[in-house]
């Protein structure tokens, strides 16, 4: 299914300008519903500038009105101008998030060893050499690498990660794990996401001021407990 050229910015606009449900927005933008929740709660890594899908010819007001009247309605994208899509090469990752790549790679290697190095490289936007170094613990910064969910780090979306894991599990002849996070305490999960975002921002502030940013993990835990 076609998706908006800038899904997160489009989701931000739809959250602010319409009464569509988070599920409708997530489905249209190709995002996980928790990503839309995070945008609505301002827990995203940065404050997004909304992108009007109507002006971009990706959605019509008629479609938005249909969706607002019927929560079960799924928005249909308009046929807009041809979009240039990346077909080769690694995924682009913003400079601010590149330092998080090793943590995301380590998390996948720990929790989903069935995923190939090539697949991890395409998902995270890294090289096989880096993945191998993290796997055999020969990476130059291995002492500071802590496995963290790449979705929480903003390196990929939950939908892309789930699809990758399901494909790898099928190829390996094993049962793909089921994401049951939405069946548990949703508010607790959102609170944890907010704490991690705040901790990341705190670490960035410390780094910019030249102070020691080592206690970031403890900061995240403290923020989570305080909430």
């Amino acid at each position: 299914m076609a998706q908006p050229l800038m899904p997160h910015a489009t989701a931000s606009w739809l959250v602010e300008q319409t009464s569509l449900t988070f599920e409708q927005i997530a489905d249209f933008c190709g995002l996980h519903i928790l990503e839309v929740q995070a945008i609505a709660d301002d827990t995203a890594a940065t404050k997004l500038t909304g992108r009007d899908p109507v002006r971009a010819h990706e959605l019509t007001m008629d479609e938005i009105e249909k969706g607002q009247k019927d929560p079960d309605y799924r928005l249909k994208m308009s046929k807009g101008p041809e979009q240039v899509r990346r077909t080769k090469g690694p995924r682009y990752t913003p400079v601010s998030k590149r330092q998080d790549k090793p943590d995301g790679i380590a998390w996948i290697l720990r929790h989903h060893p069935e995923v190939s190095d090539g697949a991890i490289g395409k998902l995270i936007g890294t090289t096989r050499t880096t993945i191998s170094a993290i796997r055999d613990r020969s990476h130059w910064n291995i002492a500071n690498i802590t496995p963290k969910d790449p979705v929480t780090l903003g390196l990929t979306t939950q939908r892309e990660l789930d699809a990758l894991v399901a494909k790898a599990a099928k190829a390996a002849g094993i049962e793909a794990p089921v994401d049951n996070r939405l069946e548990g305490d949703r508010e607790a999960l959102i609170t944890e996401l907010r704490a991690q975002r705040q901790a990341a921002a705190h670490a960035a502030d410390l780094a910019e001021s030249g102070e020691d940013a080592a206690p970031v993990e403890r900061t995240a835990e403290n923020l989570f407990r305080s909430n």
Side-chain angles (χ1 to χ4, degrees):
M1 178 180 173
Q3 297 175 0
L5 185 60
M6 300 174 65
H8 289 85
T10 300
S12 178
W13 188 91
L14 291 173
V15 165
E16 293 181 357
Q17 304 297 329
T18 74
S19 60
L20 295 168
T21 66
F22 290 163
E23 186 175 357
Q24 286 174 309
I25 296 174
D27 181 76
F28 177 73
C29 295
L31 303 175
H32 194 282
I33 191 171
L34 289 180
E35 292 181 276
V36 179
Q37 175 76 63
I39 290 172
D41 290 348
D42 287 337
T43 59
T46 58
K47 177 65 176 177
L48 295 171
T49 299
R51 178 176 185 267
D52 186 347
V54 178
R55 180 172 295 181
H57 305 293
E58 295 172 340
L59 194 61
T60 65
M61 285 305 302
D62 287 341
E63 278 294 295
I64 292 177
E65 290 174 2
K66 289 179 183 177
Q68 292 179 143
K69 292 178 182 178
D70 181 6
D72 295 324
Y73 182 76
R74 291 295 174 261
L75 302 175
K76 297 179 179 61
M77 177 173 285
S78 304
K79 184 178 180 180
E82 288 296 318
Q83 300 175 357
V84 178
R85 298 184 181 276
R86 176 180 59 82
T87 57
K88 294 183 179 180
R91 172 194 298 269
Y92 172 77
T93 304
V95 175
S96 60
K97 293 185 180 296
R98 291 179 190 176
Q99 63 184 8
D100 296 328
K101 284 186 179 183
D103 292 343
I105 294 169
W107 187 93
I108 296 177
L109 291 175
R110 171 181 290 184
H111 296 281
H112 302 291
E114 70 278 8
V115 179
S116 69
D117 289 2
I120 296 175
K122 290 180 180 179
L123 182 74
I124 302 296
T126 188
T127 65
R128 291 174 185 265
T129 301
T130 298
I131 298 170
S132 297
I134 294 174
R135 176 184 284 107
D136 61 25
R137 302 190 63 79
S138 63
H139 190 278
W140 67 272
N141 194 36
I142 193 64
N144 297 315
I145 294 177
T146 303
K148 296 177 183 176
D149 189 337
V151 175
T152 301
L153 293 174
L155 297 173
T156 185
T157 66
Q158 189 65 50
R159 180 171 297 186
E160 289 176 316
L161 179 60
D162 288 347
L164 181 72
V165 171
K167 183 177 180 180
K170 182 178 180 180
I174 61 178
E175 185 176 353
V178 179
D179 182 6
N180 295 319
R181 293 187 298 173
L182 287 177
E183 298 176 5
D185 188 347
R186 180 176 177 179
E187 291 303 318
L189 186 59
I190 292 298
T191 300
E192 182 177 2
L193 177 61
R194 181 182 296 113
Q196 292 173 344
R197 296 294 189 190
Q198 291 174 342
H202 178 65
D205 291 340
L206 290 177
E208 186 175 346
S209 63
E211 297 181 28
D212 183 11
V216 174
E217 290 299 321
R218 293 194 297 274
T219 300
E221 294 176 2
N222 292 338
L223 286 170
F224 179 52
R225 290 169 181 167
S226 66
N227 289 329

